[in-house]
Amino acid sequence: MKRSEIQKEIKWAGELLKKHCFYLPEFAEWTLGEWKKNAEKIDVIRATMRGWDITDYGMGDFKTVGSVLFTLRNGVVGRNIGTPYAEKVIPLHEGQRLPMHFHAVKTEDIINRGGGMMYMKLYNALPDGEPDREGHVNVSVDGILKTIGAGEEFLVGPGSSVSLTPRMYHIFGAKQGYGDLIVGEVSSVNDDNTDNYFYEKVSRFAEIEEDEELVYPLCNEYEKVLGSI
């Protein structure tokens, strides 16, 4: 992805969130200079990778498979840093989705926070890591146990949430025809470096073409632009 595209997406996401009265912490709008000015005060933010995370998952088609994420709260597994839970907000363009993946450790609630309609598809992961394309998936939707066919698309309206347990493959996105969507994620501690198992051939973080000056560093760039903690 181009740096100019990433920084444009950050501004788009901020405007969409404010439109729906979802407000981010002050560091969401920090420029690189402000990050450097506050470098000695933000060890927790850096260690827990809070902040902006914009990626096309290496697919080169961001508006189809990609996401803007902002991590609001997080901790570090096995260390007394941050919080014992994580929270993200994921603004999605209409028609955009995340790639199919599961987590081996993390349990998460995926929530429609408003703006559009979320769709989801689920599969159980077999012992060899392949998706079970025949078995049904038992899943909690707003605390109500439901049985969903493998790969069956179902809709999640504003305010509703789906509880995903480890080794449950999931795809979710903004349903075409309903507009841009704000997705929330509340989970156990999140580790994007080790606990994402993608079925599609993707990379977790985008390769960036530096076509303009960096203004808003991403959560996986703190060490590069600020130095080691």
Side-chain angles (χ1 to χ4, degrees):
M1 295 183 69
K2 293 182 178 181
R3 180 69 65 181
S4 58
E5 181 183 7
I6 287 171
Q7 297 187 151
K8 180 180 177 182
E9 289 299 326
I10 288 173
K11 292 179 180 179
W12 166 81
E15 290 171 0
L16 179 67
L17 292 170
K18 287 178 181 177
K19 177 182 175 181
H20 290 274
C21 299
F22 192 112
Y23 298 101
L24 299 176
E26 64 173 302
F27 71 87
E29 297 184 357
W30 281 359
T31 62
L32 180 56
E34 290 169 301
W35 280 97
K36 290 181 176 180
K37 180 180 177 181
N38 290 281
E40 296 182 356
K41 306 174 185 177
I42 55 174
D43 286 359
V44 171
I45 291 174
R46 295 177 60 182
T48 58
M49 296 183 70
R50 302 184 194 186
W52 292 109
D53 175 6
I54 290 82
T55 180
D56 64 355
Y57 298 95
M59 301 288 280
D61 187 7
F62 175 77
K63 290 293 180 68
T64 300
V65 181
S67 57
V68 176
L69 306 97
F70 190 93
T71 300
L72 295 142
R73 297 164 182 84
N74 198 16
V76 179
V77 176
R79 298 174 63 188
N80 188 27
I81 298 177
T83 57
Y85 55 87
E87 180 183 5
K88 296 183 181 184
V89 62
I90 311 170
L92 293 173
H93 292 278
E94 180 179 357
Q96 189 178 40
R97 69 172 177 87
L98 277 70
M100 180 175 170
H101 65 289
F102 73 79
H103 309 288
V105 176
K106 183 170 71 171
T107 296
E108 58 187 345
D109 277 5
I110 304 298
I111 310 155
N112 183 335
R113 292 291 193 193
M117 180 68 71
M118 180 167 67
Y119 74 88
M120 186 173 285
K121 299 179 183 181
L122 302 175
Y123 304 86
N124 293 312
L126 295 169
D128 64 359
E130 286 292 308
D132 181 352
R133 299 187 181 277
E134 297 181 1
H136 288 76
V137 180
N138 294 318
V139 64
S140 176
V141 179
D142 295 324
I144 302 168
L145 186 63
K146 296 191 176 184
T147 299
I148 308 294
E152 175 187 342
E153 180 178 298
F154 62 100
L155 300 180
V156 183
S160 289
S161 65
V162 181
S163 297
L164 304 176
T165 51
R167 298 188 62 81
M168 184 180 289
Y169 271 116
H170 48 283
I171 300 170
F172 64 86
K175 184 70 174 177
Q176 194 72 41
Y178 291 85
D180 298 335
L181 171 68
I182 299 173
V183 174
E185 177 186 315
V186 177
S187 73
S188 51
V189 169
N190 176 81
D191 186 345
D192 277 320
N193 290 304
T194 64
D195 196 30
N196 289 300
Y197 295 83
F198 292 101
Y199 184 69
E200 298 168 83
K201 293 181 179 180
V202 302
S203 56
R204 174 60 183 83
F205 299 106
E207 292 187 12
I208 300 175
E209 177 186 340
E210 302 291 353
D211 67 326
E212 70 177 27
E213 183 179 355
L214 186 157
V215 179
Y216 306 107
L218 303 181
C219 66
N220 61 315
E221 296 183 304
Y222 296 149
E223 184 171 348
K224 180 178 74 173
V225 300
L226 300 174
S228 300
I229 296 176

